[in-house]
Amino acid sequence: MHGAALPSWVALAYLLAGGCFILALRGLSSPESSRRGNRIGMAGMAIAVATTLLYYHPRPSGENPFKLLNMGTAAEILGAIAIGAAIGIVTARRIAMTAMPQLVAAFHSLVGMAAVLVAAAAYLNPDAFGIAVAGQIHQVSRIEMSLGAAIGAITFSGSVIAFLKLNGNMSGKPILLPARHVINLGTLAVILGLIAYFVTDQSAWVFFTLTALAFLIGFLLIIPIGGADMPVVVSMLNSYSGWAAAAMGFTLQNTAMIITGALVGSSGAILSYIMCRAMNRSFVSVIAGGFGGDAVAGGAAGAIDRPFKRGSAEDAAFLMSQAEQVIIVPGYGMAVAQAQHALREMADLLKKEGVSVKYAIHPVAGRMPGHMNVLLAEANVPYDEVFELEDINSEFARTDVAFVIGANDVTNPAAKTDKSSPIYGMPVLDVEKAKTVLFIKRSMGGAGYAGVDNELFYRDNTMMLLADAKKMVEEIVKALG
C-alpha cells in the first residue's frame, strides 16, 4: 500500500486512536488513574481495529485499498476476533494475580509471533499488500519486513523462556552456556548481515534463515538471565514487541500500528532503563547474564549456623500494636503465598489501634515492573499508603517496626557495604534503620534470587518469623484480634 493516500477521516481516526494510547500510558503511570487509563486504551484500540477492518485491508495491486470488506471476509475476521476475545476474557477472569508475570510474558510471545506471521504473509504474497511490482518487493519494504520478523522472533522465543522461568517449568537460576557471548554476538552479526543481503536478494532462504536465527537468539539471550533480573526482562520484551509491531506497521502502511508500536517500544525501553537504574546495573550487564551466576557457595548453607533471633506471631502482634508507625515491605514471597489480603486485614487492625501504616515498594520487587503494586491494589490497599523507594527510604529511621514479607535482595544492607557482593551498589530499602525489623521467611536455608545471604537476618534489631507468609500473617491477625 505504499504510495496510497489515506482519506482524511481515516487518518483522523488513527490520530484519535494514537491520542487515546498516549492518554492510556499517562493513566497507567499512576495506580489512582490506572483503571481510567486502561479504559481509554481499550477505546483507542477499538477505534483502530474498527477503522482498519472497514477501510484498510490487503488487496490486489491496482485495486482501491479503501473499499469495504466483502461479507465473507468480514465474517472470517470477526469470527477470529470473537475466538481470540473469548480466550482473552476467560484467561483474564481465571488468572491469579500472582501469575500475572507469566501472563504478561505469554502475551509478549503472542505479539512477537503475530509480527513474524504478518511478515511471512507479506513476503509470500507481496502483491496483496501492495509492496511489490512484478513480484519484486520494494527495498524499503524488505528492510521493514525483515526487521519486523527478526524482532518478532526474538520477542517470541525470549518470552517463551521468560514464561517457563516465571512459571517454574525452568530453573530461575542463570543457565550459562560455554562461550555464550561469542555465540550470541556471532548470531546477531549473521542476522544483521542477512537483513542487509535481503535488500539485494529476496530469496526465500535468506528471509527464513534470518527468521530462524532470530528465534534461536531469543532463546540464547534469555536463558542466561536469572530470576532477579526478570523485571528488566519483562520490560525489555515489552519494548521488543512494540518495535516489532512498529516495523510491520511500516510494511502495511498502517499509521495506528506505527504509533502503537512506537509507544510500546519506547515506553518499554524507558521502563527497562528505570529497572536497571533501580538495580544500579547497566542494560548490557543484564543481557550478558543475571544475578546469581557467580554466587558465593555456602551463602545459604552458612546462614543456618549463624545466630539469629526468632519470634512468634504473638511477638509480632504485640510489637506492632505498640508502635506509632509500621512500614510494610512486600516481596515475591508475599506473591507466592498470596498473602496480600491477609496483609491488608492486618494493616486495618493496626490502623484501628491508632498505628500509622505505610507500604514501601522497591522498583524491582517481584517478577515484573509494578508487581507488588498490582497485588496490593487487588487487596484494596489504599493508594495513598503505598510509597516508592525514594519517597519512603528516609522514614525508616523514624519507624518503630519494619515488617518485611517475602522481600530479600531489595532489603539486603550488603548492597551498601560489601563490594564483593553481586548486588553491591543496588539501591535498597533501608529497613535495617527501623527500631525493630520483623522478617517473614519460610526458613533460614534459602538465599534470594541474587544467590547471597541477607545479613539483615542476624542483626540485633531483627526478629525472624519463620513460616509461610500467609499463614504467619493470618496468625498475627488472630493475635491482634
Side-chain angles (χ1 to χ4, degrees):
M1 300 167 197
H2 286 262
L6 287 172
S8 57
W9 77 267
V10 176
L12 181 61
Y14 283 154
L15 181 62
L16 178 60
C20 287
F21 298 145
I22 294 173
L23 292 175
L25 285 176
R26 179 178 176 83
L28 291 171
S29 65
S30 171
E32 292 91 341
S33 57
S34 59
R35 290 187 178 181
R36 182 174 68 252
N38 197 33
R39 294 190 186 100
I40 294 174
M42 292 169 63
M45 185 57 67
I47 294 171
V49 171
T51 303
T52 300
L53 288 179
L54 288 174
Y55 292 99
Y56 196 84
H57 59 92
R59 46 61 166 160
S61 180
E63 192 172 307
N64 177 15
F66 306 114
K67 70 177 184 179
L68 290 171
L69 292 168
N70 62 62
M71 293 304 296
T73 304
E76 293 173 356
I77 293 176
L78 292 175
I81 291 176
I83 294 173
I87 294 173
I89 291 172
V90 172
T91 302
R93 287 185 175 276
R94 292 184 177 180
I95 197 73
M97 295 301 289
T98 49
M100 192 59 65
Q102 296 94 299
L103 181 65
V104 171
F107 281 165
H108 289 160
S109 72
L110 295 178
V111 175
M113 181 55 74
V116 173
L117 294 176
V118 171
Y123 172 76
L124 295 173
N125 192 10
D127 289 332
F129 288 81
I131 58 174
V133 176
Q136 289 297 308
I137 302 174
H138 302 311
Q139 288 188 333
V140 173
S141 295
R142 295 184 197 182
I143 297 174
E144 295 162 354
M145 72 169 59
S146 58
L147 284 174
I151 299 173
I154 292 172
T155 304
F156 172 79
S157 54
S159 298
V160 169
I161 295 298
F163 173 85
L164 294 175
K165 284 176 173 282
L166 291 167
N167 204 45
N169 304 108
M170 178 181 289
S171 173
K173 297 180 179 179
I175 301 174
L176 306 180
L177 304 176
R180 66 186 185 280
H181 299 314
V182 175
I183 295 173
N184 291 347
L185 290 174
T187 306
L188 286 172
V190 173
I191 291 173
L192 293 174
L194 288 173
I195 291 175
Y197 184 68
F198 186 63
V199 177
T200 61
D201 183 357
Q202 67 177 55
S203 299
W205 75 267
V206 181
F207 177 81
F208 290 108
T209 299
L210 72 88
T211 303
L213 288 175
F215 278 120
L216 175 63
I217 196 64
F219 287 114
L220 295 177
L221 285 174
I222 306 303
I223 281 178
I225 301 178
D229 285 323
M230 275 301 130
V232 178
V233 172
V234 171
S235 60
M236 177 186 69
L237 292 171
N238 178 53
S239 179
Y240 288 176
S241 67
W243 297 125
M248 296 319 304
F250 280 106
T251 298
L252 301 178
Q253 288 292 284
N254 188 301
T255 309
M257 281 187 68
I258 296 172
I259 294 174
T260 306
L263 287 172
V264 173
S266 57
S267 61
I270 293 171
L271 188 57
S272 297
Y273 169 76
I274 293 173
M275 294 293 105
C276 287
R277 188 178 64 178
M279 296 186 294
N280 195 33
R281 308 184 69 208
S282 68
F283 181 77
V284 174
S285 69
V286 174
I287 298 301
F291 280 149
D294 302 310
V296 178
I304 301 175
D305 299 327
R306 296 178 62 180
F308 64 93
K309 186 187 301 181
R310 182 169 183 173
S312 65
E314 290 74 18
D315 296 329
F318 176 78
L319 287 170
M320 287 192 288
S321 64
Q322 300 301 309
E324 291 185 6
Q325 177 166 285
V326 173
I327 296 181
I328 299 172
V329 181
Y332 187 62
M334 182 194 75
V336 173
Q338 299 186 43
Q340 60 270 26
H341 294 283
L343 188 66
R344 194 218 65 216
E345 186 178 356
M346 182 191 82
D348 289 344
L349 290 174
L350 289 174
K351 286 187 286 186
K352 287 182 180 179
E353 297 291 328
V355 180
S356 171
V357 178
K358 296 182 179 180
Y359 297 80
I361 307 294
H362 193 283
V364 296
R367 306 303 289 275
M368 71 175 187
H371 194 183
M372 295 301 104
N373 301 76
V374 171
L375 293 176
L376 294 180
E378 184 204 15
N380 294 318
V381 171
Y383 297 133
D384 58 0
E385 294 179 4
V386 181
F387 297 87
E388 300 296 332
L389 178 148
E390 61 271 13
D391 297 323
I392 200 169
N393 239 5
S394 61
E395 290 198 32
F396 282 104
R398 305 189 299 271
T399 297
D400 298 298
V401 177
F403 186 84
V404 184
I405 175 169
N408 197 332
D409 298 325
V410 299
T411 62
N412 194 338
K416 296 178 285 187
T417 59
D418 186 0
K419 293 185 179 180
S420 65
S421 173
I423 62 172
Y424 178 72
M426 182 179 86
V428 294
L429 291 161
D430 296 334
V431 295
E432 78 279 3
K433 295 181 179 180
K435 293 178 182 178
T436 301
V437 179
L438 300 176
F439 206 116
I440 296 183
K441 197 174 186 291
R442 281 186 176 272
S443 70
M444 298 298 291
Y449 289 118
V452 293
D453 196 24
N454 191 340
E455 65 178 58
L456 179 64
F457 302 159
Y458 316 105
R459 300 234 172 156
D460 292 336
N461 64 329
T462 299
M463 180 181 291
M464 300 300 298
L465 306 174
L466 302 182
D468 173 80
K470 183 178 181 180
K471 182 178 179 181
M472 175 57 71
V473 175
E474 287 176 342
E475 290 179 357
I476 294 174
V477 168
K478 290 180 181 178
L480 288 172

